[in-house]
Amino acid sequence: MTDKLSEFGLIAKYFVPLATHPGALALSDDAAVLKAEADHDLVMTADALTAGVHFLPDDPPNLIASKALRVNLSDLAAKGAEPVGYLLALALPQSIDDAWLAEFARGLGEDQKTFGVSLLGGDTTATPGPLTIAITAIGRVPHGTMIRRSGAKLGDHVYVSGTIGDAGAGLAILQGKVAREPDAAFLIGRYRQPTPRVSLGPKLRGFANASLDVSDGLIADLGHIAETSHVRIVVEAEAIPRSDALKSFDPDIVRAATAGDDYEIAFTASSPIPAGLPVTRIGRVEAGQGVVLLDGQGQEIAVPKAGFTHF
Ligand code: ADP
Ligand code: MG
């Protein structure tokens, strides 16, 4: 790093102010300590983001920070958990300077207020490689109520929050495909700064039989529910909720249903579900295996690649 705070200087300046939870001990100790609650379970998840893979190195640092936190909060929400806090491990290349860190910390601070979480601890190292941000998020649920992938039941309906495919289109635009304003701004925003369904997630406890967050592509992620639940999931293509911006940029439903980075919640439930939830019914659970996408005539639509994979 250039012009530089020491490791401890940067922790004191940028991260101690974010450690608002009393258990974080203002980052003054080797570890944070959380009170174990007799009637709750802790839910834990980690996601690492690497420059050039999950974001572009010159993306705004506040949005990189926000995305790193939000993708973790999305996992907690999909499990029905309320977020508590997070640990932050940073591998910083030489090019990261004070101004970058200030913006990065600002992005975290704003999201901490929005979602009611605190930084609990972490680690900071230098790296000869690309910038990497690893966050471990901790949430809580009443004992035994975390919603798993494996609970889908025959006859369940399948639901998804928000709209699908926006972020994939946003990435395509960043990579040079052209959309008209203001659609481009909306779609790019959905890629750079997803909206984790933090308030929806806990409301799913008690009636969602299986749930996950859609990060690699709707079809691919529903495939995880199908596999772990030993069922087949049938999705009605025309029911998949899409934004007007996406429909005007790219009406292709298969691309929408297989693009990554949505960070919506997909879940199954026996009907009826509580009124007023911001979700759309997109299909059903049957006997069998895998995920099939049907058109308006009930014909199967070929899906060459269900979603994103790293390897
Ligand atoms: P250790 O030597 O045990 O790795 P450090 O000296 O790295 O501990 O960290 C000192 C304190 O600062 C610890 O409380 C740690 O959790 C915190 N910390 C270090 N890096 C970060 C970070 N990126 N975000 C939040 N807390 C951090
Ligand atoms: Mg350390």
Side-chain angles (χ1 to χ4, degrees), residues 183-205:
D183 294 345
F186 169 80
L187 296 169
I188 290 169
R190 291 276 285 159
Y191 171 73
R192 283 195 168 148
Q193 196 175 38
T195 302
R197 303 302 177 182
V198 170
S199 64
L200 173 65
K203 292 182 189 147
L204 304 180
R205 292 194 306 249

Side-chain angles (χ1 to χ4, degrees), residues 13-14 77 84 115 201 270 287 303:
K13 183 167 177 190
Y14 297 116
V84 175
F115 299 110
S270 330
V303 179

Side-chain angles (χ1 to χ4, degrees), residues 7 122-124:
E7 175 189 342
D123 195 26
T124 307

Side-chain angles (χ1 to χ4, degrees), residues 17-244:
L18 300 175
T20 51
H21 192 294
L25 307 173
L27 307 183
S28 65
D29 211 318
D30 296 307
V33 58
L34 299 184
K35 186 166 168 40
E37 298 168 275
D39 53 347
H40 277 73
D41 296 333
L42 292 177
V43 177
M44 279 164 269
T45 185
D47 257 309
L49 275 67
T50 299
V53 180
H54 300 92
F55 58 88
L56 308 174
D58 52 0
D59 279 348
N62 61 316
L63 296 185
I64 295 172
S66 175
K67 183 164 187 175
L69 180 55
R70 288 173 179 221
V71 300
N72 280 281
L73 298 180
S74 177
D75 278 314
L76 292 180
K79 301 297 95 185
E82 288 140 25
V84 175
Y86 64 101
L87 299 150
L88 171 67
L90 287 175
L92 303 175
Q94 284 293 326
S95 56
I96 296 297
D97 60 12
D98 220 39
W100 192 96
L101 282 168
E103 277 300 286
F104 182 83
R106 184 174 69 82
L108 289 177
E110 284 177 4
D111 272 2
Q112 287 195 186
K113 288 203 191 79
T114 303
F115 299 110
V117 294
S118 166
L119 182 60
L120 295 170
D123 195 26
T124 307
T125 66
T127 177
L131 171 66
T132 298
I133 303 153
I135 288 186
T136 301
I138 300 169
R140 63 198 279 279
V141 291
H143 179 61
T145 63
M146 188 185 95
I147 311 165
R148 300 174 62 160
R149 293 179 172 186
S150 57
K153 294 188 172 49
L154 300 185
D156 276 4
H157 297 284
V158 180
Y159 300 85
V160 70
S161 64
T163 54
I164 292 297
D166 298 327
L171 178 59
I173 294 164
L174 288 172
Q175 289 169 338
K177 304 205 177 115
V178 180
R180 65 181 165 74
E181 291 293 339
D183 294 345
F186 169 80
L187 296 169
I188 290 169
R190 291 276 285 159
Y191 171 73
R192 283 195 168 148
Q193 196 175 38
T195 302
R197 303 302 177 182
V198 170
S199 64
L200 173 65
K203 292 182 189 147
L204 304 180
R205 292 194 306 249
F207 69 89
N209 291 327
S211 174
L212 49 52
D213 88 318
V214 180
S215 57
D216 292 333
L218 178 66
I219 302 295
D221 286 315
L222 288 175
H224 299 315
I225 291 183
E227 190 178 345
T228 55
S229 298
H230 308 289
V231 296
R232 167 173 134 120
I233 292 182
V234 178
V235 178
E236 295 153 22
E238 289 175 6
I240 296 172
R242 286 178 294 160
S243 65
D244 291 339

